[in-house]
Amino acid sequence: MGGRFAYFFQVMNYFEELETDTTETPETGIWLSVGDLMSGLLMLFALLFITVQLQLQQKLSEVAKLERELEAKIAQLERYQDVFDRLPLVILTAIESELGGSDVVSVDPSTGEVSIRDRILFDRGSATLKSEGKQFLQEFIPIYSQVIFSNEEFDRQITRILIEGHTSSQGSEDSNLELSLRRALSVANYIFSDEISFTTKSNLKQKILAAGRGEIEADTNTDNPGDRKVVFRFQLRQQPSIAN
C-alpha cells in the first residue's frame, strides 16, 4: 500500500512540474522576437510616413504662397509696364488735341517728356517769364496735370515730375547752370501762383521738383537754340522685380 501511494505522489509531482514549467522553447522565443521587431518597424514606418506627410504639406503651402507672391509681382509689373507704355501717348494726344500743332512744345512719344522752347518763356539770358510764356503755361499746365491725375495708376506710379531748365553751350558752364535753375524755379513758382487755377493743383505740388541742368545735354560744338528749353520729365517708381 505504501508503495502505491509513493508512486501516486510521484505522478502528481510530474504533472505539477509540467503545469508550472513556463520555460519558452527556442522556436517560441524566435517568433516572439520577430513579432516584436515587426511591430517596432511598423510603428517606425508609421511615424516616418506621418512626418513626411507633414513636411510635404508644409512645402506645398510654401509653394502656394510663392505662387501667390509671384502672381502679385507679375500683376504689378504689368501695371507698371502699362503706365510706361500708355502715359507718353496719352500726354501726346492730350497736348495735340488741346493745344494743336505748335513749334514751341514737343512730346517724346517713348518717354512722355514735354519740351518747351525757351523763346516763348524767356528772353535770351533772362529767367523772368514773358507774358507769352505765362499764357502758354496757363493753357498747358491744367491739361498736363489732368492727364497725370486722370488715372489712379498714373498717379500712383509717378513719384516725381521734374521741371528741368536747359541751356545751350554758349557762355560759361557755371552761368548756364545757374540760369537753367532760375528758369526752372520761375516756371514752378508761376504754376503754383494765384494766376493759374486748376483742380489738381495741390496734388501736382506734391510731385513737382525744379532742377537746373545747364548745358549738360547741349551740343558742345555750336550754339543750338533747340538746347535752350524747359523740360517736364516724370519719374516712375522703381520697376518691380520678379526675382526678389
Side-chain angles (χ1 to χ4, degrees):
M1 179 66 70
R4 291 181 178 178
F5 278 108
Y7 177 76
F8 176 77
F9 283 120
Q10 288 178 357
V11 171
M12 293 297 296
N13 288 335
Y14 174 75
F15 281 107
E16 287 177 359
E17 290 177 0
L18 288 178
E19 291 176 354
T20 58
D21 185 12
T22 58
T23 303
E24 297 178 348
T25 64
E27 291 81 2
T28 302
I30 291 173
W31 283 112
L32 288 175
S33 299
V34 171
D36 292 342
L37 178 61
M38 293 299 294
S39 298
L41 288 174
L42 286 174
M43 181 65 71
L44 176 61
F45 287 140
L47 291 175
L48 288 175
F49 178 79
I50 294 172
T51 301
V52 170
Q53 288 295 314
L54 291 175
Q55 292 177 344
L56 179 61
Q57 187 63 39
Q58 182 179 359
K59 292 296 182 183
L60 290 175
S61 298
E62 293 175 357
V63 170
K65 180 181 178 182
L66 290 174
E67 288 179 347
R68 291 193 298 269
E69 293 176 351
L70 180 59
E71 290 174 355
K73 288 184 177 181
I74 291 175
Q76 183 181 3
L77 182 59
E78 289 175 346
R79 291 194 300 270
Y80 179 93
Q81 191 63 42
D82 180 65
V83 171
F84 187 83
D85 292 339
R86 284 202 302 137
L87 183 55
L89 297 178
V90 173
I91 292 175
L92 176 61
T93 302
I95 291 178
E96 286 183 346
S97 62
E98 297 294 334
L99 299 180
S102 174
D103 62 347
V104 298
V105 60
S106 62
V107 181
D108 188 327
S110 61
T111 65
E113 294 178 7
V114 180
S115 299
I116 305 172
R117 302 290 182 263
D118 78 329
R119 69 174 182 269
I120 194 175
L121 297 176
F122 308 101
D123 288 325
R124 191 178 185 87
S126 172
T128 302
L129 278 168
K130 300 193 298 184
S131 58
E132 303 98 299
K134 292 180 180 181
Q135 181 63 38
F136 175 82
L137 291 174
Q138 289 173 9
E139 297 174 358
F140 164 72
I141 292 300
I143 298 170
Y144 185 79
S145 183
Q146 183 180 8
V147 169
I148 301 301
F149 298 104
S150 64
N151 184 296
E152 183 178 346
E153 199 61 35
F154 289 174
D155 180 16
R156 195 180 75 84
Q157 293 292 351
I158 296 175
T159 58
R160 287 289 182 190
I161 297 174
L162 301 179
I163 302 177
E164 297 180 346
H166 294 258
T167 69
S168 68
S169 57
Q170 184 182 27
S172 69
E173 183 177 349
D174 290 341
S175 63
N176 285 334
L177 183 61
E178 180 187 359
L179 177 61
S180 66
L181 178 57
R182 289 193 292 118
R183 285 180 168 178
L185 289 172
S186 292
V187 172
N189 290 335
Y190 185 73
I191 291 173
F192 302 111
S193 70
D194 295 334
E195 296 187 41
I196 300 183
S197 178
F198 52 100
T199 56
T200 55
K201 193 172 187 176
S202 60
N203 302 82
L204 185 64
K205 192 172 185 178
Q206 301 300 317
K207 296 182 182 290
I208 288 291
L209 179 66
R213 300 284 290 171
E215 58 185 75
I216 291 177
E217 299 180 12
D219 186 344
T220 57
N221 297 320
T222 183
D223 178 22
N224 187 348
D227 292 332
R228 296 192 290 271
K229 58 191 176 182
V230 172
V231 176
F232 283 72
R233 187 198 314 266
F234 56 79
Q235 292 181 339
L236 297 178
R237 293 182 183 276
Q238 184 177 359
Q239 182 174 356
S241 173
I242 295 179
N244 294 334

